[in-house]
Amino acid sequence: MPQNENFWNPYRMIPVRERIEKKPPLTDEKFKGKSGVISCSLENLTPLFIGGNRNFGENFLTRDGKCVIPGSSLKGMLRSLAEIVGGGCFVVADRKVKHDSRYKACDNANSLCVACRMFGMMERGRNARVHRGNISIGDALMREENPKAKAYDVLLSSCGTRHEPFYRSPQTGNVDGKSRKLYFHQPNRTDSVPNVPDKLRSRAWKIRALQPGHHFDFEVQFSNLRSEEIRLLLYVLALEEEVSVTLGEEQIRLRGPLRHKLGNAKPLGMGSCHISVEKLVYLAAPRARFASLREPEDTVYEGDALINELSGMRRGFIGDTSPTMQQLRKMMVWDENDSRSFKYPEYHWFKNPENSRKPLKAI
Ligand SMILES: [Zn+2]
């Protein structure tokens, strides 16, 4: 919320890591890293809508008659989390912000931040080289035969102004590109979005969003990842199962697992999702494949062995109490008893000169 208001603004800027470590990616000529497949499922906890843009229509994306979340949407979500958690460059620079050179988008395919190594990058200019990335994510297909969707009128921006104080980095108090935007979960909003006022009805977008409780399955393939990169990949997929945080001056206590946000209308509470890792397979090293007459065995983790492997691999991030990780937890915690109400300030709030310098409340 802006200071002195009782509602909460749907988003916050959270501080980025101080250090961005750049390295060459492992490429296919040198199989030093690990390769494998992660099988995942996804359940939506609030209404979910994936539909391109408003010219595209009001229906959820489908393929062969089945609802589908494109792998590119999942990849975008996981990449932006990897940029925050792992310390990545700003691929999409905000033109209104003068970025510190340390955070500029990677532009040398031999010296890449962790997100570009994992998810890919493209150099600019002539003779630009491309690193395709070491992770590929398939489309997520829906399990249910008869999806339950509901029509919503959504208004995606309050009034089109950009209130500078809302975009300041919390750790510096400046608009300096040292922070990234995340949306809170809104567990209250399982069935509704805020009403669109009559005078703004012409600007609303009509969408048919999936009701909570639908399930999707997808696979993440990785090749030649360093162990620190696999750790980061498993963290951004599985997140954390139990956190306890205290927000701001009012000391609001929230507790629960961390969950993802995906798709359209995030400021209105849509898109909260629970991703579960169901199975993890490390492929036998190619050297072993060639050297041995017997087929070397892949390593498969499921059930309790998977739980152990996931907690071991995520331990470093789960124990990380840096400002970046503390604020990430405050944004991504899913607490069903969270009773805060969320909305953007209205037009008259922004137009009131008294509010012109007012930032959001610190979390
Ligand atoms: Zn990068």
Side-chain angles (χ1 to χ4, degrees), residues 77-78 81 185 236-237 239 259-261 271-273 275 332:
M77 174 186 72
L78 295 172
L81 276 175
H185 289 295
V236 298
L237 277 168
L239 298 174
R259 294 293 181 241
H260 294 86
K261 284 276 269 189
S272 294
C273 290
I275 291 179
M332 295 185 77

Side-chain angles (χ1 to χ4, degrees), residues 6 64 76 84 141 220 269 353:
N6 58 10
D64 304 328
I84 296 172
L141 300 176
V220 178

Side-chain angles (χ1 to χ4, degrees), residues 258-274:
L258 302 186
R259 294 293 181 241
H260 294 86
K261 284 276 269 189
L262 180 65
N264 298 85
K266 292 189 192 83
L268 306 177
M270 290 197 186
S272 294
C273 290
H274 176 194

Side-chain angles (χ1 to χ4, degrees), residues 149-177:
K150 188 173 156 182
Y152 295 92
D153 280 322
V154 300
L155 198 59
L156 292 177
S157 73
S158 49
C159 54
T161 58
R162 180 176 154 118
H163 187 63
E164 183 268 345
F166 287 4
Y167 286 85
R168 293 177 191 158
S169 299
Q171 75 278 35
T172 60
N174 296 318
V175 179
D176 54 11

Side-chain angles (χ1 to χ4, degrees), residues 20 22 79 83 87-91 103-107 111-117 120-121:
I20 308 288
K22 301 209 175 180
R79 179 181 184 128
E83 288 169 355
C89 69
F90 278 79
V91 178
Y103 300 112
K104 286 220 169 93
C106 296
D107 198 23
S111 173
L112 299 179
C113 74
V114 68
C116 289
R117 296 200 299 273
M121 63 76 74

